[in-house]
Amino acid sequence: MTETITVRGFIGNDIRHITTDKGLPISTFRLASTPRRYDRERGEWVDGETNWYTVTSFRALAQNVHSTLAKGDPVLVTGRLKVRQWSNDTGQRGTSVEIDADGVGHDLTFGTSSFTRLGGQQA
Amino acid sequence: MTETITVRGFIGNDIRHITTDKGLPISTFRLASTPRRYDRERGEWVDGETNWYTVTSFRALAQNVHSTLAKGDPVLVTGRLKVRQWSNDTGQRGTSVEIDADGVGHDLTFGTSSFTRLGGQQA
Amino acid sequence: MTETITVRGFIGNDIRHITTDKGLPISTFRLASTPRRYDRERGEWVDGETNWYTVTSFRALAQNVHSTLAKGDPVLVTGRLKVRQWSNDTGQRGTSVEIDADGVGHDLTFGTSSFTRLGGQQA
Amino acid sequence: MTETITVRGFIGNDIRHITTDKGLPISTFRLASTPRRYDRERGEWVDGETNWYTVTSFRALAQNVHSTLAKGDPVLVTGRLKVRQWSNDTGQRGTSVEIDADGVGHDLTFGTSSFTRLGGQQA
């Protein structure tokens, strides 16, 4: 199956934006999500450990992400999770955790936004 | 368990906003989500049937939803699903499908937004 | 979009199973999910209100649901949510909340199971 | 926030089961999920790349996972996603992708199961 995931968090870096040779716009950013849990012994809410994701978007969404979002912004992201093993020329290996975004938006829990609709893409 | 759900869709009516006697801000709107599926026989994407939800938000999120969103806006919503049976004084009964929103935002698939951060709430 | 949802709950009735004229097996059952939340004032976990769903499955899954599950069983269900308005000949109207199941299984939180694999369907 | 995720996939190894000094049962296994997508050019469904997860369960669920599941079994898992950076004594670093399971079950898409209910845990 394809795992869908939704994350509310904060953008951890500047948005990277490229256009491929074939004209495909792609934007990526790092997203941090920190769970809150109620600590019964202390009688208060405390932070858990942070999950970090690389969020990738394409086409119109990539362009609007690029022109709208900035480091530190609170956002909602929903998309498809990709857990990938990688290795590079120097023999390093690792695991990357990416979200191919279907939708991204500023989280109105933290502020207001003024929206400008652009042409015609389907949901 | 508590069912969490994420919906990308369009706002179907004007935002309703009240403040209770105890000072709690509450906003509600109707949200329409229409799936797209690939019809192999016709070789094209077609619309499926629309799901309608009542989206409720509270506190700071309610106030920002009220001052930011309008009928027709494309949004992302994530929250907890509530399926409730109701009846009224005239003997009518029915089922309501609500989302208690944890996060709401304009969907950047469809445009750009300018965000103004307001004070201090936790994710 | 298509809303995917996962529910852990208990089966509320006997499984209904039919085979259509075209030979398509379909099973349906009612599923109840009750959230638990920590009540800080009382210092204990309490039940919230129950969500009820109609779960529909097709083909091999429908046949295995029919031969495996029974009223009262604890199960996990994942699938696509469908919120539908209906009306009948007598003028009644209502809303149904269905899950088109992609996967169903006994919840091992509550017991053990002995599994018999049957032929060849893809995930 | 806490990211919840549901995965349907196949168990990739033998179940590991331990009991801590304090008497807490813990089970872990590796879970592989491979998406299927319709390739329009080829006119058929093809496999995408596989996501691998480490699934951890505790208490009664851990014990029932241990006594019920085996390598190769098709299962559904729902729980909380944890993306963690790690390093070890030799200076290696990496990223782990874990699911803290809330519910686990055999996927009836692929077979039938006989369930034995054990005592009393809440959903």
Side-chain angles (χ1 to χ4, degrees):
Chain A
M1 66 176 281
T2 299
E3 285 82 59
T4 57
I5 190 168
T6 297
V7 182
R8 294 173 61 220
F10 294 88
I11 296 177
N13 60 352
D14 295 329
I15 311 297
R16 292 183 53 195
H17 185 72
I18 63 165
T19 302
T20 66
D21 294 344
K22 293 185 176 176
L24 177 70
I26 305 177
S27 287
T28 59
F29 60 84
R30 292 283 285 166
L31 179 64
S33 164
T34 305
R36 299 277 292 169
R37 61 181 182 77
Y38 188 72
D39 185 319
R40 264 186 274 179
E41 293 185 5
R42 294 162 60 179
E44 61 186 6
W45 290 86
V46 297
D47 277 349
E49 286 187 73
T50 298
N51 283 354
W52 282 95
Y53 303 90
T54 298
V55 177
T56 306
S57 54
F58 301 91
R59 291 175 285 275
L61 179 57
Q63 289 174 313
N64 297 333
V65 160
H66 173 55
S67 56
T68 292
L69 300 180
K71 185 176 174 177
D73 281 1
V75 292
L76 283 86
V77 172
T78 188
R80 285 149 285 129
L81 189 69
K82 298 194 172 182
V83 180
R84 294 288 174 267
Q85 314 307 316
W86 58 263
S87 59
N88 65 14
D89 294 346
T90 64
Q92 287 182 306
R93 295 180 187 188
T95 300
S96 70
V97 181
E98 297 189 17
I99 300 173
D100 261 23
D102 291 315
V104 178
H106 275 119
D107 188 347
L108 297 177
T109 304
F110 299 94
T112 58
S113 76
S114 173
F115 187 69
T116 303
R117 189 147 175 188
L118 301 175
Q121 182 150 343
Q122 290 286 350
Chain B
M1 64 176 282
T2 301
E3 284 83 58
T4 56
I5 190 169
T6 298
V7 182
R8 295 173 60 222
F10 294 89
I11 296 177
N13 60 351
D14 295 330
I15 310 298
R16 293 184 53 193
H17 185 73
I18 63 166
T19 302
T20 66
D21 293 345
K22 294 184 175 177
L24 176 68
I26 305 177
S27 286
T28 58
F29 60 85
R30 292 282 284 167
L31 179 63
S33 164
T34 305
R36 299 277 293 168
R37 62 179 181 78
Y38 188 72
D39 185 320
R40 264 187 272 179
E41 292 186 4
R42 293 163 60 179
E44 61 184 9
W45 290 86
V46 298
D47 278 350
E49 286 188 72
T50 298
N51 284 354
W52 282 95
Y53 303 90
T54 298
V55 177
T56 306
S57 54
F58 302 91
R59 292 175 284 276
L61 179 57
Q63 288 173 315
N64 297 334
V65 159
H66 173 54
S67 56
T68 293
L69 300 181
K71 183 177 175 177
D73 281 1
V75 292
L76 282 86
V77 172
T78 188
R80 285 150 286 128
L81 190 69
K82 299 195 172 182
V83 180
R84 294 286 174 268
Q85 315 306 316
W86 56 264
S87 61
N88 66 14
D89 294 346
T90 63
Q92 286 182 304
R93 295 181 187 186
T95 300
S96 70
V97 180
E98 296 189 19
I99 301 173
D100 263 22
D102 292 314
V104 178
H106 275 118
D107 188 346
L108 297 177
T109 306
F110 299 94
T112 58
S113 75
S114 172
F115 187 69
T116 302
R117 190 148 175 185
L118 303 174
Q121 181 151 347
Q122 291 285 353
Chain C
M1 65 176 282
T2 300
E3 285 83 60
T4 56
I5 190 168
T6 297
V7 183
R8 293 173 62 219
F10 293 88
I11 298 178
N13 60 353
D14 295 329
I15 311 297
R16 292 183 53 195
H17 184 73
I18 63 165
T19 303
T20 66
D21 293 345
K22 294 184 176 177
L24 177 68
I26 304 177
S27 287
T28 59
F29 60 84
R30 293 282 284 167
L31 180 64
S33 164
T34 305
R36 299 278 293 170
R37 62 181 182 77
Y38 188 73
D39 185 319
R40 265 187 274 180
E41 294 187 3
R42 294 163 59 179
E44 62 185 6
W45 290 85
V46 298
D47 277 350
E49 285 186 74
T50 298
N51 283 354
W52 282 95
Y53 302 90
T54 298
V55 176
T56 306
S57 54
F58 301 91
R59 290 176 287 275
L61 179 57
Q63 288 175 315
N64 297 335
V65 160
H66 173 56
S67 57
T68 293
L69 301 180
K71 184 176 175 177
D73 281 0
V75 292
L76 284 86
V77 172
T78 189
R80 286 149 285 130
L81 190 68
K82 300 196 171 182
V83 180
R84 295 287 175 267
Q85 314 306 317
W86 56 265
S87 60
N88 64 15
D89 295 345
T90 64
Q92 287 182 305
R93 294 179 187 190
T95 299
S96 70
V97 181
E98 296 190 17
I99 299 173
D100 262 22
D102 291 316
V104 178
H106 275 118
D107 188 347
L108 297 178
T109 305
F110 299 95
T112 58
S113 75
S114 172
F115 187 69
T116 303
R117 190 147 176 188
L118 303 174
Q121 182 150 345
Q122 290 286 351
Chain D
M1 66 175 282
T2 301
E3 285 82 58
T4 56
I5 190 168
T6 298
V7 182
R8 293 173 62 220
F10 293 88
I11 296 178
N13 59 352
D14 293 331
I15 310 298
R16 293 184 53 194
H17 184 73
I18 63 166
T19 303
T20 67
D21 293 345
K22 294 185 175 177
L24 177 68
I26 305 177
S27 287
T28 59
F29 59 85
R30 294 281 285 166
L31 179 64
S33 164
T34 305
R36 297 280 291 169
R37 62 180 181 77
Y38 189 72
D39 185 320
R40 265 187 272 179
E41 294 186 4
R42 294 162 60 178
E44 61 184 8
W45 289 86
V46 297
D47 278 351
E49 287 187 73
T50 298
N51 284 353
W52 282 94
Y53 304 90
T54 297
V55 176
T56 305
S57 55
F58 302 90
R59 289 175 287 275
L61 179 57
Q63 290 174 313
N64 297 334
V65 160
H66 173 56
S67 56
T68 293
L69 300 181
K71 184 176 175 177
D73 281 1
V75 292
L76 283 86
V77 172
T78 188
R80 287 149 284 127
L81 190 68
K82 300 196 170 181
V83 180
R84 294 288 175 268
Q85 314 308 316
W86 57 264
S87 59
N88 65 15
D89 294 345
T90 64
Q92 287 183 303
R93 295 181 187 187
T95 300
S96 70
V97 181
E98 296 189 19
I99 300 173
D100 262 22
D102 291 315
V104 178
H106 275 118
D107 189 346
L108 298 177
T109 305
F110 298 94
T112 58
S113 75
S114 172
F115 187 69
T116 303
R117 190 149 176 184
L118 302 175
Q121 182 151 346
Q122 290 285 350

